[in-house]
Amino acid sequence: MTILLDRRRTLLGAVALAGVFAAPRIFAPAFAQAPAPAPTGPFTLPALPYAPGANEPHIDAQTMEIHHGRHHAAYVANLNMVAKDHGQLASLPLEQILAKLGEMPEAVRTAIRNNGGGHANHTMFWQVMGGKGGAPGGELGLAITRDLGGFDKLKADFNGAGARVFGSGCVFVTVDGAGKLALVSKPNQDTPLMDGNRVLFGNDVWEHAYYLKYQNRRPAYLEAWWNVVDWDKVAARYAAAKSGLLAI
Ligand code: MN3
C-alpha cells in the first residue's frame, strides 16, 4: 500500500509539475508581444549642474529632484519615443526642430511641441540657477537698462507676467544676435525657440516648480527665484547669443 500511495503521489506530482512547466508556453505569445525597452536616445537628460539643494532655501531639494528627475526626464523619454518612429528628429538640433515645428509630421507635432519644448525649457532653466542672485552688471546690466527699463523694472514686469500666466507656462527674457532683450511669456511648454528666437533666461511657473514649498503662492516663488539666478551664467549666455553661438 505504501508503495502504491507513493507512486500515486509521484504521478500526481509529475502532473502538477507538467502543468507548471506548460503554463509559460501558453502565455509565451503574450511575452513576445511585450513592448520593446524605452529608447535611451537620441535625446538625453542633462545632469543638474549643482546639487539638488543648491538653491535652498528658495527652492527646496525635493522640488528640484522631482522636477529634474521625473518631470524633465519624462519630457526626454516622450521625445525619444517620438524619435523612435521619426528618425529625422535625431539628425536635427533641438532648437531647429522647435523652430521648424510646422514642418514636423502632423501626427506627432503636438508631442514634439510639448516634449521638445519641455526638454529645451528645462535644459535652459537648470543652467541659469545655482547662483547667488544680486544684480547683473557689465554689458548685460547695461542692456537690461537700455531695453527693459532697468533691473528693478525688469523684475517687476517679469514677476507680473509670471503671475498672469493662466495655468502653466514660462516667462522668458529673449536675446537677439545684436544683444537686444525682450520680455515674453508662453503657455504650457512653448518657447521663444519656436519663433526662431533665443532665450537668455527664463522661469518655470508650472505648479510643479514651486508647489511643495509655496503651494498656491506663485508670486512668492517668483520673488524668491531671483535669489538663485547665476548672473555669471546668464552673462555667458548673453555673450554666446551675440556671437551666434547660443542654442538652447
Ligand atoms: Mn517644469
Side-chain angles (χ1 to χ4, degrees), residues 176-191:
D176 70 12
K180 186 171 171 51
L181 307 179
L183 181 65
V184 60
S185 61
K186 294 278 186 184
N188 305 314
Q189 291 298 357
D190 284 3
T191 155

Side-chain angles (χ1 to χ4, degrees), residues 67 71-72 75 118 121-122 125-126 169-170 189 204-209:
H67 198 172
H71 290 274
H72 188 175
Y75 295 124
N121 284 338
H122 290 85
F125 187 54
W126 313 132
C170 298
Q189 291 298 357
D204 181 341
V205 300
W206 284 58
E207 283 186 345
H208 66 225

Side-chain angles (χ1 to χ4, degrees), residues 29-243:
F31 285 116
Q33 287 164 9
T40 55
F43 303 97
T44 55
L45 178 68
L48 273 183
Y50 35 71
N55 298 303
E56 297 258 15
H58 307 290
I59 303 177
D60 58 287
Q62 189 183 16
T63 293
M64 289 295 293
E65 283 167 355
I66 294 172
H67 198 172
H68 174 262
R70 298 193 211 165
H71 290 274
H72 188 175
Y75 295 124
V76 172
N78 291 338
L79 191 58
N80 282 330
M81 285 300 288
V82 175
K84 189 162 72 78
D85 296 323
H86 299 273
Q88 69 270 37
L89 292 188
S91 62
L92 279 176
L94 182 56
E95 68 277 12
Q96 286 187 32
I97 292 172
L98 296 171
K100 296 176 177 175
L101 206 50
E103 298 171 29
M104 295 295 140
E106 196 172 353
V108 290
R109 199 174 297 156
T110 299
I112 295 171
R113 180 179 200 143
N114 291 340
N115 296 293
H119 183 26
N121 284 338
H122 290 85
T123 299
M124 172 280 299
F125 187 54
W126 313 132
Q127 284 179 22
V128 302
M129 296 192 293
K132 298 265 184 281
E139 197 184 358
L140 174 58
L142 292 172
I144 288 172
T145 299
R146 181 191 65 212
D147 298 331
L148 301 170
F151 186 52
D152 289 343
K153 185 173 189 309
L154 161 62
K155 280 205 291 186
D157 291 346
F158 189 102
N159 291 355
R164 282 191 301 274
V165 170
F166 183 75
S168 300
C170 298
V171 186
F172 304 92
V173 169
T174 59
V175 56
D176 70 12
K180 186 171 171 51
L181 307 179
L183 181 65
V184 60
S185 61
K186 294 278 186 184
N188 305 314
Q189 291 298 357
D190 284 3
T191 155
L193 297 172
M194 293 169 183
D195 308 321
N197 293 326
R198 288 292 174 268
V199 174
L200 180 61
F201 66 90
N203 191 0
D204 181 341
V205 300
W206 284 58
E207 283 186 345
H208 66 225
Y210 62 85
Y211 208 85
L212 287 181
K213 184 177 176 68
Y214 295 92
Q215 294 82 48
N216 62 325
R217 294 174 289 117
R218 188 194 287 177
Y221 161 72
L222 279 158
E223 188 65 39
W225 180 77
W226 296 100
N227 293 307
V228 304
V229 174
D230 186 334
W231 288 113
D232 289 339
K233 295 265 193 72
V234 178
R237 291 175 65 81
Y238 186 71
K242 290 186 71 175
S243 306

